[in-house]
Amino acid sequence: MADLLSVPTDGRYPALAVSPQQKREMILTALLEQLDGIATHSPVLIVFEDVHWIDPTSLDLLDRTIARVANLPVLLVMTFRPELQPTWVGQPHVTMLPLSRLSRRDSAGIIGGITRDKALPDEVIDQIVAHADGVPLFIEELTQIRPRVERVERGSRSL
């Protein structure tokens, strides 16, 4: 694990004389055994976001984790886009909860939270909602851009 995390061992532990594939297998096994150990003492929450961008080794670990948690007190929550077709969907211990895009009302609620309920013109809210297409992160980003633009515009007027 020290090698994986680039933790210096200062020569206290000799380097393992194993192939990269064997080292990978040892690391994945150690991580899963650590999960087993933690879950025997208390329930565990694991969150993976944007699994649609996952690399192959992490996906292998995730696949193994999903198989392992079937018999453990573990809640594994993942977010991923519909284009990902994971192999574990449909397993008895896996539940899918598809989320739809936010409504205009919910989108406006996020905008209000970001602007601290400072009223924006309806046309600005309409533009943000239209461009964000109900995606919360985009709503947040587009709403945060507006105050920066206003500050720049105000600053240029004073020049």
Side-chain angles (χ1 to χ4, degrees):
M1 294 300 260
D3 186 42
L4 172 70
L5 300 172
S6 300
V7 174
T9 60
D10 300 327
R12 290 180 289 174
Y13 305 101
L16 294 175
V18 295
S19 71
Q21 183 59 32
Q22 289 172 314
K23 184 185 288 187
R24 176 184 181 278
E25 214 39 57
M26 291 169 68
I27 289 170
L28 295 180
T29 299
L31 290 169
L32 291 170
E33 287 174 358
Q34 186 174 28
L35 174 61
D36 285 344
I38 293 169
T40 60
H41 298 294
S42 66
V44 177
L45 170 65
I46 303 171
V47 178
F48 277 85
E49 291 190 11
D50 297 327
V51 175
H52 50 276
W53 289 330
I54 200 166
D55 64 271
T57 300
S58 298
L59 182 58
D60 185 19
L61 176 61
L62 181 58
D63 288 342
R64 293 178 192 206
T65 301
I66 291 167
R68 183 76 62 105
V69 301
N71 301 311
L72 294 174
V74 173
L75 174 61
L76 176 57
V77 178
M78 291 176 272
T79 64
F80 57 89
R81 293 185 182 163
E83 61 265 18
L84 180 72
Q85 298 295 317
T87 58
W88 28 262
V89 170
Q91 292 184 21
H93 65 288
V94 174
T95 301
M96 288 277 296
L97 178 61
L99 301 177
S100 59
R101 299 186 184 278
L102 296 178
S103 67
R104 185 191 192 291
R105 188 176 129 242
D106 291 335
S107 298
I110 290 176
I111 294 168
I114 292 170
T115 61
R116 296 189 181 103
D117 292 321
K118 176 185 171 191
L120 292 178
D122 285 341
E123 53 273 3
V124 172
I125 293 173
D126 290 341
Q127 286 180 352
I128 292 171
V129 170
H131 283 90
D133 195 28
V135 178
L137 178 63
F138 295 151
I139 295 166
E140 292 173 359
E141 290 298 316
L142 290 172
T143 303
Q144 291 171 355
I145 288 172
R146 179 161 173 72
R148 287 184 287 222
V149 170
E150 287 177 347
R151 280 195 301 273
V152 170
E153 288 173 353
R154 272 196 307 264
S156 65
R157 285 185 199 140
S158 63
L159 291 177

